Amino acid sequence: MNTHTMQVISQDTLGDPDVLHPIERARPEPGVGQVLVAVHAAGINPTDAQHRRLGLFLGEPPFTLGWDVSGVVEAVGLGVSLFAPGDEVFGMLPYPNGAGAYAEYVTGPVRAFAPKPAALSHAEAAALPMAGLVASQALVDTADVREGQRVLVLGAAGGIGHIAVQVAKARGAYVIGTASGDKCDLVRDLGADEVIDYRTADVAKGAHDIDVVLDTVGGADRLRSLETLRPGGILVSSLPVEFDEVTKRAAELGLRATNLVVEHDRAGMTGLAALAETGRLRPHVAATFPLAEAAKAHALAEAGGATGKLVLTVRPQAGSKS
């Protein structure tokens, strides 16, 4: 193995999944306050596909996608005291400009990472960072969900939603999730107290006296869900687009509506790890793909139907606990 180069997934143009292709690139070195991580697994999130198609915050290619990482520290930069080579870590590279997880090695600020929970495989750990931090930053930091409150999760079988159900339950909330078809069974298994099949039932009529709505889907259900909130309630959306109408309607009803862009956060990662270690949080990995098959993984994600998360496995042992 050439220790000076590595395989990464790159793209030269914006477009469909087939623009993703493997290339060789020089292996990076950690800078001041950074760690070099040998990637064992990289999580795939909806924002990855959006950047692949539209560029968004990353602009024009070439670039390498991916923010979710689980792996082993290979080397540390000057001033790093939290980790040493050989430590297993997981984390989210700084969003959006820190992208690059679809690779055999990545560098990132040391405080973007936390010790990997021993209870999770690398594939499971790589499925957790971005989705988990969105859920945590929405439900804990923004909404301050407390025991006995009622939480409605829109898109409860998705990448963020299925984590949010577990985070809200760990906070002692009564959780109602929306899903469709057989995905409703997964949401129940995650601990949701009620599940609404949004294809056959009106979400606004099926939920009431809600303290917090977490929206991960947008569209009409996001706007309608405001009607489920009790006075003083809050809607937090992980989708900052097309939000003006929601804000206006919330103000008319005397409610609060806000959206967030996820931030890398060591304290948040540590909290998620603690929940995973005690069995109160487990990412659902729908499927894994070798790094070289990133295009196939993106195609499956865009086809819909997958519950939980898709993950790229960079090293063979990524699916095993260690």
Side-chain angles (χ1 to χ4, degrees):
M1 178 178 176
N2 188 339
T3 59
H4 301 292
T5 63
M6 64 176 182
Q7 185 180 77
V8 307
I9 300 300
S10 185
Q11 62 182 93
D12 302 315
T13 61
L14 301 175
D16 293 332
D18 59 8
V19 302
L20 299 174
H21 61 276
I23 64 169
E24 290 290 316
R25 182 179 294 166
R27 198 182 86 170
E29 295 294 333
V32 176
Q34 290 188 327
V35 291
L36 172 69
V37 176
V39 180
H40 284 234
I44 296 175
N45 294 287
T47 191
D48 299 19
Q50 293 161 2
H51 280 84
R52 188 203 72 234
R53 286 186 284 107
L54 304 173
L56 297 182
F57 301 120
L58 298 181
E60 291 294 320
F63 50 68
T64 293
L65 294 169
W67 288 269
D68 283 352
V69 173
S70 183
V72 176
V73 175
E74 182 80 8
V76 301
L78 181 67
V80 172
S81 60
L82 293 176
F83 298 116
D87 290 344
E88 294 191 322
V89 296
F90 78 132
M92 189 189 84
L93 301 175
Y95 183 85
N97 295 319
Y102 295 6
E104 290 183 311
Y105 294 89
V106 295
T107 57
V110 63
R111 293 187 180 275
F113 296 94
K116 183 188 80 67
L120 301 182
S121 68
H122 281 291
E124 291 171 323
L128 183 54
M130 182 177 285
L133 287 175
V134 170
S136 177
Q137 290 168 14
L139 297 175
V140 180
D141 299 346
T142 304
D144 188 25
V145 169
R146 298 181 299 279
E147 186 172 358
Q149 288 191 316
R150 293 170 61 86
V151 174
L152 172 62
V153 179
L154 303 180
I160 297 170
H162 89 285
I163 298 295
V165 169
Q166 297 174 78
V167 169
K169 288 302 297 180
R171 301 277 290 183
Y174 184 93
V175 179
I176 303 172
T178 70
S180 64
D182 57 5
K183 294 181 182 180
C184 293
D185 293 334
L186 170 66
V187 179
R188 291 188 188 94
D189 290 343
L190 294 171
D193 299 283
E194 296 181 40
V195 183
I196 298 172
D197 189 331
Y198 65 84
R199 290 184 178 175
T200 60
D202 186 333
V203 174
K205 292 180 179 178
H208 59 85
D209 295 323
I210 300 299
D211 295 287
V212 180
V213 172
L214 174 58
D215 161 54
T216 71
V217 296
D221 278 349
R222 172 166 65 182
L223 190 61
R224 289 273 286 151
S225 70
L226 290 170
E227 300 173 22
T228 71
L229 286 167
R230 51 173 96 200
I234 180 173
L235 179 147
V236 186
S237 179
S238 64
L239 303 171
V241 297
E242 299 177 354
F243 205 68
D244 289 348
E245 187 177 4
V246 178
T247 303
K248 179 181 177 182
R249 180 58 178 156
E252 292 172 351
L253 296 171
L255 304 168
R256 182 184 173 202
T258 188
N259 52 58
L260 64 83
V261 175
V262 67
E263 302 174 73
H264 70 280
D265 174 11
R266 176 175 168 79
M269 291 298 303
T270 301
L272 294 168
L275 291 178
E277 290 286 29
T278 58
R280 290 179 291 172
L281 174 59
R282 189 167 206 93
H284 177 75
V285 178
T288 62
F289 293 81
L291 178 64
E293 296 183 5
K296 290 183 179 180
H298 272 235
L300 177 60
E302 294 201 336
T307 57
K309 296 291 295 292
L310 301 177
V311 174
L312 300 177
T313 52
V314 183
R315 284 168 169 80
Q317 65 269 41
S320 302
K321 295 175 194 160
S322 54

